[in-house]
Amino acid sequence: FEYSPDGTAIDGQTGGTGWSGAWSAGSTNFDSDSGIVAVGSFSCLNATGSGAINRALTTGVTTGTVQFVMRKSSNAANTDFRIRFREGTTIRYMVGWADGAFRLSGGGTSPSLLDTPAVNTWYYVQVVFNQPANSAKARYSTDGINWNAYTTDEAPSGTSWLQIDDVQLTTDT
């Protein structure tokens, strides 16, 4: 999210490799932010209210590991922030906060990465996708070095999937 100057809307931005097109969906709720950063010089800030933006991958992913960092300033009920891994517009997996807990969600048990995450703490997250096994698993760290154990494998939303080809950021307040 290295878009400058500070406060630049992420919707419509390009850059980076492996992406097909810009961040899109018309939501201006997500801005670049240089005030609270885990890695790099900017982060993605949900500026106001609910919304979603997404970006397509150049090539769909069937297996592999995705790593990113997340933080939230409140664990209040009914405030969700998630990164959704999609096949087209179909959500296959989500990682993020749901009513205070930090979870990997798909179509199965939605295992918890952490039941009571600390607010204003950066969490490094790894998600491992395995399309041939029809599953994914995730783990977190607070320093990017010392990792907790992976969650149990989670089934995807839907009966099966071919690839992850879209990433969506969503917030609900």
Side-chain angles (χ1 to χ4, degrees), residues 32-154:
S32 63
D33 179 60
S34 63
I36 303 171
V37 178
V39 294
S41 53
F42 288 92
S43 62
C44 174
L45 171 69
N46 173 27
T48 58
S50 300
I53 59 173
N54 64 286
R55 194 165 185 196
L57 300 173
T58 303
T59 304
V61 177
T62 58
T63 60
T65 302
V66 177
Q67 183 170 309
F68 52 92
V69 290
M70 298 177 78
R71 79 182 276 283
K72 193 174 174 194
S73 60
S74 169
N75 275 338
N78 301 316
T79 58
D80 298 345
F81 175 73
R82 294 185 177 121
I83 296 178
R84 295 176 172 169
F85 299 96
R86 307 186 316 169
E87 183 173 11
T89 58
T90 302
I91 300 164
R92 297 301 184 197
Y93 295 98
M94 298 182 284
V95 177
W97 278 265
D99 293 333
F102 193 32
R103 302 191 172 283
L104 168 65
S105 301
T109 60
S110 297
S112 176
L113 278 76
L114 185 60
D115 287 329
T116 53
V119 296
N120 298 320
T121 298
W122 285 105
Y123 290 94
Y124 294 74
V125 182
Q126 287 182 345
V127 181
V128 179
F129 298 105
N130 186 342
Q131 183 273 335
N134 204 36
S135 69
K137 60 185 178 181
R139 66 182 183 168
Y140 76 92
S141 168
T142 55
D143 60 13
I145 298 168
N146 300 297
W147 294 88
N148 74 317
Y150 279 108
T151 61
T152 56
D153 284 346
E154 171 72 350

